[in-house]
Amino acid sequence: MSLWTSLEPASSTVDPGGSTKVRLRLRNTGDVVDEYRFEPVGDVAPWTTVEPQTLRLYPGTTGTVELTFSPPRSPDAVAGPNPFAVRITPTEHPEATTVPEGNLTITPFTEVRAELVPPTVKGRFRGRPKLAVDNLGNTRLTASIGGSDNGDHLSYDIHPSNVQVEPGRAVFVRATLKPRQIIWFGSKEQRPYSLAIQRSGTAPQSVEGTYVQRGFLPRWLATFLGVFMALAITFVMLWIAYKPQVRTAATEKLQEAGISTLPPSPSASVAPPAPSPSAEVPVAPAATETQSASGGGGGGGASPEAEPKESAKPQEDTAATAVAQLAAQDPGRHICYRAYLTDKGWTKPVCDGAVAGTVGQNRPIKSLNLATSDTDGTAASAFVHYPQSTDGKGHYDGPWKGVVDGDDLYIGSTKKDDPYLLGFAMNVGESKSVVCETVHVHNEGWHGLGCDEPGGDNYIFGGTLSNLLWIEAVKFTV
């Protein structure tokens, strides 16, 4: 058995999100009727279709099939030349498989998404936002980061100031904002600013944020100190101007008493007489009776008991309350979490590698609640089911969300008609700690353990991209 094949053309070019066709011709050079099956292989096989998938040829005849390449507009479709091949298997002689090869060049495209986490920072002397830069294109992103504001009220310390981001990856850029003038007294002031991503040959892409500068001392304290100082100065001036004349009347009274009780002396040599023993002595008034503390008589019983106060509503048991209790018992890095299950609601919070969710009950997770201790905070973004998808994949639901240690972080939605989670992206703060995750995906089981890189500049993705799957359970460690 023998077979002749030809690809027309052997090399082709396609734009991500578009399509192109290549014709495969083959001739049965054998002496028996045979049926051939076609199967695309290689890196571009997921985006390749063959029509028809089987072809029956008589000896000496020629047939044609069409290969259609439709790479998605996503980081998965890496720019540049990509070899492709088609495995041709004869039904009569399966051992005589033929694999013609060609080359498909995917054109590059650039798409950058940038978000400030958080978009508003507060401080008296500085603010420390993070800029999340996501490369959604299919080529490496090289850019510089700069900051600016109207009025030149702030200075910027950005690290790193130049980034290189591989397709489908993200980095965090740390920025420190410092006001050029300190507000010593008065209320806070808002300072709008922007961080710009500058790529070679393109206009800068700006991300707007707000720095709320607080006064060093509140306005009411400044008013109080001013009034106090004014009163103190007034008091001192009045004291100096009208200093009271303090003198004792004891000598005068003694002199008056001596003059009225002693007769004049006949001569300087005669001593004055002693006071008369019949002189009247003043008597103190009688002391009045006081009521006994133990009190006789009636009615002084114990006061009636106060009515019991209405008990307060119990606090919701969230990931933040769980991690606070765990950190109090065992100080150090911890992560606690819980899952909102479809048609069931929130699960109990669990921590440090325990399972949140269900396995085998077909209950998609709609929302996650996380909290950490001793990790410099955490940030995350939800990847959810997307009914309008054209490539069978979900999409990110909104921007990154970030919180500090001990606060509740929520991603996804608990509303009835909102989509369920397919996956999530997350990381922890700037310290040397990392976050690790493993998820249970519907019809796929538990995925392998994945961890981000230390330092806060990277993230880990857990779950699936497919709209046909969903996550049912999660485990986290830090």
Side-chain angles (χ1 to χ4, degrees):
M1 194 284 301
S2 59
L3 178 67
W4 173 85
T5 62
S6 175
L7 286 170
E8 301 176 354
S11 297
S12 184
T13 301
V14 64
D15 296 327
S19 64
T20 188
K21 297 181 183 294
V22 172
R23 180 178 298 175
L24 173 62
R25 299 180 61 196
L26 66 160
R27 179 185 299 128
N28 184 358
T29 58
D31 52 4
V32 296
V33 178
D34 210 339
E35 184 176 65
Y36 304 95
R37 296 191 304 273
F38 305 94
E39 178 187 3
V41 294
D43 293 339
V44 299
W47 317 316
T48 307
T49 58
V50 182
E51 290 292 338
Q53 295 183 351
T54 61
L55 187 64
R56 186 178 180 86
L57 294 178
Y58 288 92
T61 60
T62 301
T64 302
V65 297
E66 277 193 346
L67 308 179
T68 302
F69 302 98
S70 303
R73 187 177 175 83
S74 72
D76 297 330
V78 181
N82 294 268
F84 69 88
V86 180
R87 183 185 293 116
I88 305 174
T89 306
T91 303
E92 297 297 328
H93 302 280
E95 72 282 355
T97 299
T98 303
V99 184
E101 298 180 354
N103 187 72
L104 178 69
T105 299
I106 299 177
T107 59
F109 78 95
T110 302
E111 184 175 347
V112 180
R113 182 174 65 187
E115 300 168 4
L116 279 170
V117 181
T120 300
V121 292
K122 302 177 181 180
R124 291 180 174 85
F125 305 109
R126 63 180 55 84
R128 291 190 175 95
K130 291 182 181 179
L131 179 66
V133 182
D134 293 86
N135 183 6
L136 304 181
N138 64 351
T139 60
R140 175 184 292 177
L141 168 67
T142 301
S144 59
I145 313 297
S148 62
D149 62 277
N150 292 331
D152 196 26
H153 296 296
L154 304 173
S155 64
Y156 303 86
D157 182 11
I158 300 174
H159 180 77
S161 58
N162 295 280
V163 295
Q164 286 190 342
V165 190
E166 297 297 329
R169 301 288 292 176
V171 298
F172 280 88
V173 177
R174 298 185 296 274
T176 301
L177 314 178
K178 295 181 180 179
R180 299 188 184 278
Q181 292 184 349
I182 298 174
I183 302 176
W184 293 105
F185 298 98
S187 60
K188 58 189 177 183
E189 295 187 13
Q190 294 190 355
R191 311 286 193 194
Y193 71 95
S194 64
L195 296 182
I197 303 172
Q198 178 66 63
R199 293 175 287 130
S200 177
T202 63
Q205 180 177 342
S206 298
V207 183
E208 306 297 330
T210 303
Y211 171 62
V212 180
Q213 184 180 359
R214 295 170 173 167
F216 184 74
L217 294 176
R219 184 182 296 274
W220 67 266
L221 182 58
T223 303
F224 173 79
L225 292 177
V227 172
F228 179 79
M229 290 298 296
L231 292 175
I233 294 173
T234 303
F235 177 78
V236 171
M237 296 301 295
L238 291 174
W239 176 267
I240 296 173
Y242 302 99
K243 183 177 180 181
Q245 300 296 321
V246 180
R247 50 194 297 263
T248 178
T251 304
E252 295 177 358
K253 292 296 183 182
L254 183 58
Q255 291 174 352
E256 291 177 1
I259 292 171
S260 61
T261 59
L262 298 178
S265 173
S267 66
S269 61
V270 179
S276 172
S278 62
E280 185 177 356
V281 178
V283 178
T288 59
E289 282 190 285
T290 58
Q291 189 175 5
S292 172
S294 58
S303 62
E305 293 185 3
E307 294 184 2
K309 295 182 180 179
E310 183 180 353
S311 60
K313 184 178 179 181
Q315 184 179 7
E316 182 183 3
D317 195 8
T318 67
T321 59
V323 83
Q325 295 172 2
L326 181 57
Q329 298 172 2
D330 180 18
R333 288 195 295 267
H334 298 286
I335 182 169
C336 294
Y337 43 94
R338 58 176 180 156
Y340 189 92
L341 306 180
T342 303
D343 299 327
K344 190 173 182 180
W346 286 109
T347 63
K348 290 286 186 181
V350 296
C351 305
D352 295 343
V355 177
T358 60
V359 175
Q361 297 185 18
N362 293 333
R363 290 188 185 275
I365 293 178
K366 295 193 66 174
S367 178
L368 287 175
N369 169 211
L370 307 101
T372 60
S373 68
D374 197 24
T375 68
D376 290 342
T378 182
S381 182
F383 192 82
V384 301
H385 178 75
Y386 185 42
Q388 291 79 27
S389 174
T390 59
D391 58 1
K393 298 180 180 180
H395 72 151
Y396 280 103
D397 181 23
W400 279 77
K401 299 177 181 179
V403 298
V404 298
D405 281 337
D407 282 2
D408 279 308
L409 172 65
Y410 291 91
I411 60 173
S413 173
T414 61
K415 294 182 179 179
K416 181 178 179 181
D417 297 328
D418 283 356
Y420 49 80
L421 292 181
L422 304 180
F424 53 85
M426 69 175 298
N427 73 348
V428 291
E430 303 175 5
S431 66
K432 296 182 179 179
S433 60
V434 299
V435 61
C436 297
E437 56 75 28
T438 179
V439 299
H440 189 281
V441 177
H442 176 66
N443 286 341
E444 290 188 354
W446 285 103
H447 283 196
L449 181 68
C451 303
D452 70 339
E453 298 181 11
D457 291 334
N458 292 279
Y459 69 93
I460 186 67
F461 181 86
T464 176
L465 302 178
S466 173
N467 265 330
L468 302 178
L469 303 173
W470 57 80
I471 58 174
E472 297 179 333
V474 295
K475 302 177 187 177
F476 295 102
T477 57
V478 291

